[in-house]
Amino acid sequence: MNKLKIIVIGGGASGLMAAGTAAEHGAEVILLEKMERLAEKIRISGKGRCNLTNHAELPDFINHFGSSGKFLRQPFNRFFRDDLITFFHEKGFELVCERGGRYFPRNGNGTDVANLFERWLNELGVKILKGHSVTGLKHDGNEISGVYCRDNLHRGEVVILAAGGASYPRTGSSGAGYQLAEEAGHTIVPVRPSLVPLVPVSGTLSGLAGLDLKNVTVRIYVNGKRKKQLHGEVAFMKSAIGGPVILTESLFVVDCLRRKEQVEIGIDLKPALDQKKLDNRLIREFQNRHQEPAASVLRALLPAPLVTACLQQVGLDPTTQVREIDSKMRAKIRTWMKDYRFKIEGFRDIAKAMISAGGVDTREIDPNSMQSKCLKGLYLTGELIDIQADTGGFNLQAAFSTGFLAGFSAAKG
Ligand SMILES: Cc1cc2nc3c(=O)[nH]c(=O)nc-3n(C[C@H](O)[C@H](O)[C@H](O)COP(=O)(O)OP(=O)(O)OC[C@H]3O[C@@H](n4cnc5c(N)ncnc54)[C@H](O)[C@@H]3O)c2cc1C
């Protein structure tokens, strides 16, 4: 009996899982990858350590995807975290759970994960064609029958489109998948960068690059109204601000800016102290060190680069002896520490974003199989779809889960 022939477009997390799963379930599989190596994005994920999944329970896990999470219920019901851990364990690769429930390879990194997948596919007889960029789909009426790599036609009864999003295009995911999906009749929800650093008004953060702040409270104001409040870490970069708290809310800010709304960030640098306690602390420091200049006394409360920013913004000469500071100026300093405000005017390009938000509209995909509702025989997986999550291993788990479900259901027909 002839085997079902399945073509997988893209050898990233979701395509590799789809290809192997389909081959394990009896299909003849060809994997077409445009790069010369598989899984470039897996190799750089988690700063090279590859944060593969997360310990959060299913409802919480789904919450990390915001409104896009609902679609993932079925793929996660079929293949979730424990299945992924078992998958790796059976191949002799152990995962370890770290801070924030993040799972990483115990001994190894993203490159080992990529190599493990390649070995697995080779053992299963998957034909891997690297340096093969798919340029079009072949479909007769509403049924797929193959793909084109320029003039070269590869025939197949089923195609799994796993071409990824548009972030980090040097890893191969340059947005070509969206065009292929559109060619199949799919709607693309506008693609925007997510988990991306934000860009304040030019010059606002000068001198702060390289500064990391832990345990601060970040408030996001839209058109002057407070909309979000989070606690955690922020990182200052050259003319941008990132770190976990900022990245988590970056898509919210990106969408506000796209609607031309005014966005401000306010950082509470002393969240453990209310205004009264902070005032007492300042009075104490100023009394104990009354002959010292403001710049050195404020070092007791702020990292050096922020002392400079604070003094500039409250309009105080750094050499002023603190005994000369009156209660009005002390209130200004206190207010600044509780609400270090700056305006955001943009965000880094999608090429620098960790993931792409938007993509193929989930309403056009059957979540029980990952099959397209627009073109029979086409399945879609991973970041190409309009699903996006926080950092923490959620995005890779979604890629593996949708890849598994597509590979399984495509092979079963
Ligand atoms: C710097 C960085 C760090 C990250 N860290 C983490 C992390 O630690 N944990 C986590 O959960 N997520 C992380 N992510 C996100 C995660 O890596 C992705 O969401 C996930 O890899 C997406 O998998 P995918 O299979 O959908 O797409 P991709 O991994 O992008 O794979 C798509 C593949 O398709 C190929 N392709 C594209 N077009 C064509 C074509 N026309 N023909 C043939 N092949 C094509 C590409 O070359 C690529 O190999 C990170 C992302 C980045 C950029």
Side-chain angles (χ1 to χ4, degrees), residues 128-333:
I128 302 173
L129 298 179
K130 296 175 193 165
H132 278 62
S133 180
V134 173
T135 50
L137 304 178
K138 178 166 171 55
H139 46 100
D140 310 309
N142 65 350
E143 203 163 332
I144 200 145
S145 54
V147 304
Y148 290 101
C149 294
R150 302 209 180 280
D151 296 337
N152 220 337
L153 173 64
H154 297 269
R155 288 194 178 277
E157 292 100 323
V158 169
V159 172
I160 300 177
L161 182 52
S167 73
Y168 274 66
R170 68 183 163 88
T171 64
S173 55
S174 56
Y178 301 128
Q179 281 148 33
L180 293 170
E182 268 183 327
E183 201 190 305
H186 281 284
T187 313
I188 306 298
V189 174
V191 177
R192 299 96 75 204
S194 183
L195 304 182
V196 69
L198 302 174
V199 178
V201 170
S202 166
T204 317
L205 304 183
S206 53
L208 300 185
L211 176 69
D212 288 342
L213 298 176
K214 294 191 171 60
N215 293 322
V216 291
T217 297
V218 172
R219 300 187 181 96
I220 300 175
Y221 299 85
V222 181
N223 295 335
K225 290 207 176 99
R226 190 165 101 192
K227 292 286 178 186
K228 302 262 180 189
Q229 175 167 312
L230 289 101
H231 189 79
E233 291 173 37
V234 298
F236 292 87
M237 305 158 178
K238 195 163 177 274
S239 49
I241 180 165
V245 167
I246 299 292
L247 295 184
T248 300
E249 290 305 332
S250 59
L251 181 59
F252 170 77
V253 173
V254 166
D255 285 341
C256 290
L257 293 172
R258 280 164 53 92
R259 289 193 296 268
K260 306 264 180 273
E261 292 170 334
Q262 302 286 321
V263 179
E264 282 180 306
I265 301 269
I267 304 181
D268 183 347
L269 298 155
K270 295 284 159 203
L273 303 176
D274 61 20
Q275 293 273 357
K276 182 90 194 102
K277 282 187 183 147
L278 181 56
D279 201 34
N280 288 339
R281 175 80 198 277
L282 285 170
I283 291 169
R284 210 169 58 237
E285 291 290 343
F286 289 3
Q287 278 172 352
N288 291 346
R289 303 170 64 182
H290 57 98
Q291 282 183 319
E292 291 184 47
S296 63
V297 176
L298 288 180
R299 276 292 283 118
L301 289 124
L302 293 172
L306 281 179
V307 170
T308 312
C310 174
L311 292 171
Q312 262 171 14
Q313 289 176 28
V314 300
L316 183 64
D317 184 331
T319 59
T320 312
Q321 288 191 344
V322 288
R323 66 175 169 199
E324 292 168 35
I325 296 177
D326 62 13
S327 61
K328 219 165 138 199
M329 177 53 79
R330 206 176 63 237
K332 259 177 136 179
I333 296 172

Side-chain angles (χ1 to χ4, degrees), residues 9-15 32-35 41 44-46 51 132-134 162-164 168 171-173 176 180 353-355 382-383 393-396 399:
I9 306 173
S14 70
L32 300 172
E33 166 53 54
K34 79 177 206 196
M35 304 295 277
K41 206 168 258 181
I44 60 164
S45 280
N51 175 198
H132 278 62
S133 180
V134 173
Y168 274 66
T171 64
S173 55
L180 293 170
M354 221 180 267
I355 56 163
E383 203 176 307
F394 304 103
N395 289 296
L396 275 172

Side-chain angles (χ1 to χ4, degrees), residues 67-83:
S67 58
S68 66
K70 214 172 79 197
F71 173 83
L72 287 165
R73 196 165 283 280
Q74 277 91 337
F76 285 162
N77 278 337
R78 297 300 297 275
F79 188 90
F80 193 45
R81 175 201 44 244
D82 291 349
D83 305 298

